[in-house]
Amino acid sequence: MTDPTSVPSAETASGQAAPSGAAPGETASEWRGVERALLPLRRLVLLSWLLPLAIAAGVVLALTLGAVWASCALLPLAVAAWGWGALRRNWRSWRYAERADDLLISHGVLWRETTVVPYGRMQLVEVTSGPLERRYGLSRLQLHTAAATTDATIPGLAPAEAARLRDRLTELGEARSAGL
């Protein structure tokens, strides 16, 4: 592990680029990305909403207004095509880093958001996994602090990594004796 005050490297352990555009003084010893399985999961959700919408719109428009208007049903398909690439960029933007006194969570493509959660301020650390997440072998880590606006989430973690992180954060929070 490197010095917590060092600048993040260009590559993480998962081989993906570390977050760029970090605020001055924002450092991390090692940025970790989320699991690749999060990308096909989110793409499945995207298609499960937009494909039925495109089909329903095409049928309704064809029956009521004619075949020319039915071509407007291609709009949801265009949004799905754009969303396909946007979801990849979003997946690549999710990162977290454990430092000596806090946890950094960074995500966002156009608007990058970096959340700093001090270990001593954590009150509750939850690991959840819905049916689709379980199907893809994923879990979500939710951090709760005293201030509701500083709650943080890390989606797309492997269940073993989520459990390890939960246990580590709980241990560090108890050691700081201000939170858990």
Side-chain angles (χ1 to χ4, degrees):
M1 185 173 252
T2 60
D3 177 26
T5 60
S6 67
V7 176
S9 64
E11 293 287 320
T12 63
S14 63
Q16 299 167 346
S20 60
E26 179 184 305
T27 58
S29 57
E30 179 184 347
W31 286 99
R32 295 179 182 212
V34 296
E35 293 293 318
R36 181 156 179 82
L38 183 64
L39 180 60
L41 169 66
R42 288 188 170 176
R43 284 178 171 170
L44 174 68
V45 171
L46 174 77
L47 294 179
S48 69
W49 280 98
L50 292 178
L51 288 180
L53 178 64
I55 292 168
V59 168
V60 168
L61 290 173
L63 293 175
T64 58
L65 300 175
V68 174
W69 285 99
S71 65
C72 292
L74 295 175
L75 183 61
L77 296 178
V79 170
W82 174 82
W84 193 268
L87 285 173
R88 178 171 175 76
R89 289 185 300 275
N90 180 271
W91 164 74
R92 290 177 57 105
S93 75
W94 277 95
R95 301 281 175 269
Y96 66 97
E98 300 171 64
R99 296 195 306 181
D101 296 321
D102 50 32
L103 178 72
L104 298 177
I105 302 170
S106 177
H107 64 94
V109 177
L110 294 177
W111 290 272
R112 176 151 318 269
E113 180 177 328
T114 301
T115 304
V116 180
V117 184
Y119 298 134
R121 303 289 293 177
M122 290 183 217
Q123 292 186 332
L124 177 68
V125 181
E126 289 182 303
V127 174
T128 59
S129 186
L132 277 177
E133 289 171 318
R134 284 193 306 275
R135 170 75 172 94
Y136 282 85
L138 298 173
S139 293
R140 171 183 305 267
L141 184 86
Q142 176 89 33
L143 306 167
H144 299 278
T145 62
T149 59
T150 58
D151 289 356
T153 301
I154 305 174
L157 294 174
E161 173 64 7
R164 182 203 66 83
L165 199 53
R166 178 197 60 217
D167 294 343
R168 176 164 163 69
L169 295 175
T170 301
E171 178 183 310
L172 290 168
E174 289 173 348
R176 304 303 192 275
S177 72
L180 294 171

